[in-house]
Amino acid sequence: MTVLCKTCEIPSQSARGFNLDGRALVAVHHNERFFVYENRCPHRGVELEWQPDQFFDFEGNFIQCATHGALFKIDTGECIAGPCNGQALTAVAFTQVDGQIILL
Ligand code: FES
C-alpha cells in the first residue's frame, strides 16, 4: 500500500505530478472526483506536462500533452485529438481513505 498524497494537496480543477521511485504519475482533481494516470503520453512515451504540475489545456477541460498537443479526457484518459487519437493514458488503480489517495 502506497500513499500517494492527501486529497487536500490537490486543489479542485488542478493536477499534480509525482515521481515514485522512477514511476511518473499524475493525479487529477476534477469536478469533485480524483483520477490517477501514468504520466506517459501513448504517442512517444514522454511525460505530459508543460511545466511542473501543468497538465491541462488552456480551458482546463482536457489533459494535454506538451509535446504534440494530444488531448485526453480527464475522466477516462482517452485521447480524443492528436497523434495518438483513440489510444489512452494508463489508469492507475487507487482508493481514497481518510482523505488520502492510496495506490492499490
Ligand atoms: S508525445 Fe504526446 S502527443 Fe506526441
Side-chain angles (χ1 to χ4, degrees):
M1 181 173 96
T2 301
V3 176
L4 186 65
C5 66
K6 295 178 182 174
T7 54
C8 64
E9 293 173 336
I10 308 175
S12 184
Q13 312 306 112
S14 73
R16 184 172 160 194
F18 295 87
N19 192 315
L20 290 184
D21 299 325
R23 184 185 187 197
L25 302 175
V26 52
V28 181
H29 185 182
H30 185 75
N31 292 344
E32 312 301 324
R33 297 173 64 198
F34 287 87
F35 307 91
V36 182
Y37 296 103
E38 301 276 354
N39 181 6
R40 186 178 63 244
C41 181
H43 180 219
R44 291 276 169 83
V46 299
E47 295 183 6
L48 297 158
E49 65 267 52
W50 302 90
Q51 295 183 21
D53 300 328
Q54 301 300 310
F55 288 90
F56 292 158
D57 69 324
F58 183 71
E59 280 123 7
N61 294 326
F62 297 95
I63 295 168
Q64 185 166 30
C65 177
T67 302
H68 303 113
L71 296 174
F72 302 89
K73 293 175 73 172
I74 291 173
D75 60 344
T76 65
E78 177 190 358
C79 180
I80 53 92
C84 45
N85 195 349
Q87 298 184 63
L89 300 177
T90 300
V92 175
F94 69 96
T95 187
Q96 290 175 237
V97 178
D98 295 334
Q100 295 181 315
I101 294 176
I102 298 171
L103 303 183
L104 298 176

